Amino acid sequence: MAGSQKFRLLNHFYSTILFTDPVIDNHFKRFVRDFLHYRDSIFCAAGKIVFALQEEAAKRGFKVDEEGGGGFSALHIRRGD
């Protein structure tokens, strides 16, 4: 379970690890960028939450842009709290 360990990674991975060889450093940063992602179910749940927030905002008179985003939407997820 997230957060049950003695230590947790509370910052970006690239500020925690360092490879002195730039080629190796870039390789591992690209690996993380290209292959480590949240599961689709998490993105789907987040989309439902954003949609519900946008509907609530529209009811309260906030304007929605042409993409239906209302300008900006963000959600900070903290695991294990």
Side-chain angles (χ1 to χ4, degrees):
M1 176 178 196
S4 62
Q5 304 288 327
K6 184 176 178 183
F7 300 102
R8 292 175 42 193
L9 183 63
L10 296 176
N11 56 351
H12 295 287
F13 76 94
Y14 47 80
S15 64
T16 305
I17 60 173
L18 172 69
F19 295 97
T20 55
D21 183 348
V23 174
I24 295 173
D25 189 54
N26 288 335
H27 169 79
F28 281 102
K29 287 178 182 174
R30 286 186 192 110
F31 178 83
V32 170
R33 179 196 66 197
D34 294 341
F35 296 107
L36 299 180
H37 302 281
Y38 286 112
R39 288 185 230 138
D40 288 341
S41 60
I42 292 173
F43 277 107
C44 187
K48 291 176 183 177
I49 292 168
V50 168
F51 183 73
L53 289 171
Q54 290 170 343
E55 283 187 326
E56 183 64 28
K59 289 178 190 174
R60 295 177 184 235
F62 290 92
K63 294 185 173 144
V64 178
D65 63 12
E66 63 276 357
E67 294 178 351
F72 180 77
S73 298
L75 183 65
H76 180 79
I77 301 170
R78 295 184 65 172
R79 296 179 279 170
D81 288 348

